[in-house]
Amino acid sequence: MYIMLVNFLLFFGLLQSLHSKQFYAKIVSNSPVNRQLELNWVNFENLDGDWIGLFDYDPKNVSNLNPLVRVDANDFPGYYRTIVEFPIYSLKNKSEECIGYWIAYIRNKKKILSKNCIRPKKQWMFDSRFSIGEFPLHSVFLPGVHNGGSYFPYSPSSDTIITRYSVCQDEDIYNQLSYGIRYLDLRVGYYSDLPEKFWVNHDVYRFHPLSAVVNDLLAFVKESRDVVIVDIHRFPAGFKSNNRAKHQELVNYLERSLGEHLIPRALGLDVTLNDIWRTNSTIILAYADRHTAMTHPLLWPTIPQEWGDKQTLPSLKAFIKHAMNRRSYSNYPWAAMAELTPTTFDILFRPSEGIRKLAGLSNREVTKWFREDWWDRASIVAVDFFLSTDIVDVAINANLDRIYCINVSRSTTFPVNDTALVNPVSIPY
C-alpha cells in the first residue's frame, strides 16, 4: 500500500513490500491544483466496507478517524487521484520521519490493515547494510532519474512549450537523493561567455550551473552513507572544439570539489557495498568521454544506458524486456531508461502536452513492471518525474527479496552459483 503524488501527472510512491499488501500515494497537476496526491493500493482483497483514507496526521487507531479524503476500495481500480496538494519541501537537515500525509486501509471500521506515509529515505542502503552489504554494486537494484539536472518546479507562469518538452524532474538534486534516488543521469554543457562555464543541460537547453548540482551532492553526502552514482553521460553543448582542454577543466573542477568523496576506479568491477563503505567515500563519478575517464583514476566508465526512444507502452515494455534479457547478468551497472520519449511531431503538433504527460501515462506501468516482472534482475532504473513512480521502494524491497531468494536457493538440492546475480560480461571500455 502506498501513496503517490502527482504534479501535472507526476506521482510520488511509497510501497510497503514487493509481494505483500502495498499502499502508496502520488502527485499530479493537470488541474488548477498543483502536485495532487494520488492514492494507490495493490494486492488487497477488497471486502465490502473497506475504505482508504488520506490523513494529515498519523492514524494510529480506528477511533475518531478524520480523513482528508475517503474512498471505498471497491469503487476504484486500485488508485484514486485527489485534489490535495503536496508542496515541495526543503529536506535539508530533515530526518526520515513522515512529512505531511499518511494513507491507511481500513477494514469494516474496525481495523487498520495497513498504513504508509511520505518520508525521505536518506540512508536506505546503509540501513540495509547487514542484508545487502556483500552485494557487488552491479547486483544492487538502484533507483535513478533520467536527466536529473533538468529539474524545475511546475507553475502556470513557467508552463511553456520549452519547459513542457525539456523539464524531466521537479525536485532539485538534494531532494532527489533524499527521497532515495541513487543514480543521477546528467548532461553537461560548456559556456565560455558565462561567469559559470559548466551547466547541466537537457540537450542544448541550459538549466542550472553545475555548481548547484555539486553543492547539493556535497550537502547530501554529509548526511548519508549511501552510495550515489553520478553519470556525466553527455556533453551536448560547447565541447566540440578544443574538447580535451575543456574536459580537463571540467574534471579538475569535479575532483577539486568532490575529490574526498570519490570512489577510486581501482576498486574494480566486483566491488561490494561493504568494500565501498570501508573507503569512507560514497560517490562513483562515471564519465562519458573515454579518453578522459581512463586517464583519471577517480573516474569510472560511463554507465551503459538502454534507451529505446519509444512512444507507446507496449513498445517500451518490449524494449526493456529485451534489454533485461541481454543485460541481466552484466558485471557492470547498467541503466534501463524507463520513460516514453516525445518526437518532433509531438513538439510541433502537440505543444500543450510534453514529458510530464508522458510520465503520467507510463510511470504507473513502469512501477508495476519492475515490482512484478523484473525486480530480481534490474540494475539501475531511470525515470522521468520519479515521484510519479514507486521505484525507490520497489528497489529497496527488491534488494531485500534478492537476499531471500539466494538463501532459499542455497537450501535446495539444486546447484547454486554464489554469484548467481553475476555472470561476467565485458566492461563498457
Side-chain angles (χ1 to χ4, degrees):
M1 182 170 69
Y2 56 108
I3 306 177
M4 280 190 177
L5 302 168
V6 190
N7 176 21
F8 195 45
L9 299 174
L10 162 73
F11 305 76
F12 172 91
L14 294 161
L15 188 61
Q16 291 284 29
S17 172
L18 271 172
H19 302 305
S20 64
K21 297 180 178 64
Q22 300 163 6
F23 205 28
Y24 65 99
K26 57 188 182 182
I27 313 176
V28 193
S29 167
N30 55 349
S31 78
V33 179
N34 187 28
R35 290 171 61 91
Q36 299 163 248
L37 282 162
E38 181 177 289
L39 315 179
N40 292 255
W41 55 99
V42 181
N43 292 344
F44 284 86
E45 181 184 358
N46 299 333
L47 302 182
D48 289 343
D50 288 0
W51 59 277
I52 295 92
L54 175 67
F55 301 84
D56 57 3
Y57 65 92
D58 185 358
K60 296 182 179 179
N61 56 65
V62 294
S63 62
N64 300 318
L65 291 176
N66 186 27
L68 298 171
V69 176
R70 170 176 170 160
V71 295
D72 290 338
N74 286 319
D75 289 347
F76 298 94
Y79 63 91
Y80 175 79
R81 184 173 301 176
T82 77
I83 60 169
V84 177
E85 184 172 344
F86 186 79
I88 293 180
Y89 286 93
S90 174
L91 299 180
K92 289 186 177 178
N93 301 313
K94 294 288 181 66
S95 69
E96 295 191 359
E97 296 179 356
C98 298
I99 51 173
Y101 295 96
W102 287 255
I103 184 174
Y105 191 104
I106 313 298
R107 170 144 296 168
N108 198 27
K109 302 181 182 179
K110 296 180 180 179
K111 185 178 182 181
I112 298 176
L113 291 188
S114 184
K115 65 179 179 178
N116 208 341
C117 70
I118 299 167
R119 65 181 181 86
K121 295 179 176 67
K122 296 186 177 184
Q123 286 215 131
W124 66 261
M125 296 173 76
F126 193 68
D127 289 344
S128 299
R129 61 192 178 280
F130 298 115
S131 298
I132 66 173
E134 287 303 310
F135 272 24
L137 182 64
H138 54 72
S139 296
V140 183
F141 185 162
L142 297 176
V145 288
H146 166 241
N147 264 315
S150 302
Y151 63 86
F152 199 80
Y154 173 79
S155 70
S157 62
S158 63
D159 184 29
T160 68
I161 187 172
I162 293 175
T163 58
R164 287 182 209 122
Y165 282 99
S166 62
V167 175
C168 295
Q169 312 295 334
D170 74 346
E171 300 277 350
D172 64 23
I173 296 296
Y174 180 88
N175 275 15
Q176 291 176 34
L177 296 172
S178 292
Y179 279 122
I181 292 300
R182 296 296 174 263
Y183 169 77
L184 300 173
D185 163 44
L186 301 176
R187 292 90 191 284
V188 175
Y190 181 89
Y191 299 88
S192 60
D193 57 336
L194 296 179
E196 293 208 40
K197 296 180 181 179
F198 296 108
W199 288 66
V200 283
N201 284 27
H202 185 165
D203 293 330
V204 296
Y205 190 79
R206 190 173 72 244
F207 271 87
H208 307 282
L210 182 59
S211 60
V213 172
V214 168
N215 290 337
D216 277 355
L217 275 166
L218 289 171
F220 180 76
V221 298
K222 290 177 181 177
E223 294 184 46
S224 175
R225 296 287 307 279
D226 278 16
V227 177
V228 177
I229 297 178
V230 179
D231 185 15
I232 310 295
H233 198 80
R234 290 184 191 169
F235 308 94
F239 279 85
K240 288 185 178 179
S241 63
N242 196 25
N243 67 333
R244 284 286 151 253
K246 293 171 183 176
H247 280 297
Q248 187 62 54
E249 185 179 353
L250 173 56
V251 172
N252 288 345
Y253 167 71
L254 292 169
E255 290 185 342
R256 185 170 63 250
S257 302
L258 301 172
E260 65 179 295
H261 304 287
L262 297 180
I263 300 163
R265 186 176 69 246
L267 286 182
L269 297 179
D270 290 323
V271 60
T272 67
L273 293 177
N274 284 338
D275 293 334
I276 291 173
W277 284 320
R278 280 189 282 268
T279 70
N280 291 320
S281 299
T282 54
I283 298 175
I284 286 181
L285 182 57
Y287 201 84
D289 184 76
R290 176 174 181 171
H291 178 271
T292 304
M294 297 308 291
T295 55
H296 290 267
L298 293 178
L299 300 183
W300 291 64
T302 191
I303 302 300
Q305 293 185 347
E306 292 286 351
W307 173 67
D309 190 16
K310 302 301 181 183
Q311 288 73 51
T312 66
L313 282 172
S315 63
L316 178 63
K317 185 175 184 179
F319 174 82
I320 295 176
K321 180 179 179 180
H322 181 65
M324 295 298 299
N325 291 336
R326 287 192 299 108
R327 295 269 191 183
S328 288
Y329 301 106
S330 173
N331 70 340
Y332 192 72
W334 65 278
M337 309 306 286
E339 61 274 335
L340 294 174
T341 304
T343 64
T344 302
F345 180 90
D346 294 323
I347 297 171
L348 293 176
F349 297 102
R350 296 174 181 141
S352 63
E353 299 188 3
I355 295 172
R356 290 179 191 268
K357 184 168 184 178
L358 291 174
L361 294 173
S362 63
N363 279 355
R364 186 185 295 111
E365 292 303 307
V366 167
T367 297
K368 181 179 178 181
W369 299 339
F370 286 95
R371 184 179 65 230
E372 297 179 0
D373 300 332
W374 301 318
W375 63 270
D376 57 337
R377 291 179 288 160
S379 175
I380 297 166
V381 179
V383 295
D384 288 331
F385 295 99
F386 75 99
L387 290 179
S388 67
T389 73
D390 196 39
I391 204 65
V392 171
D393 277 338
V394 168
I396 291 171
N397 290 306
N399 288 316
L400 298 177
D401 280 6
R402 290 177 183 187
I403 284 290
Y404 172 79
C405 290
I406 291 172
N407 289 339
V408 168
S409 296
R410 285 175 174 156
S411 69
T412 70
T413 58
F414 296 103
V416 177
N417 177 1
D418 283 349
T419 57
L421 299 175
V422 184
N423 183 12
V425 298
S426 62
I427 192 169
Y429 55 82

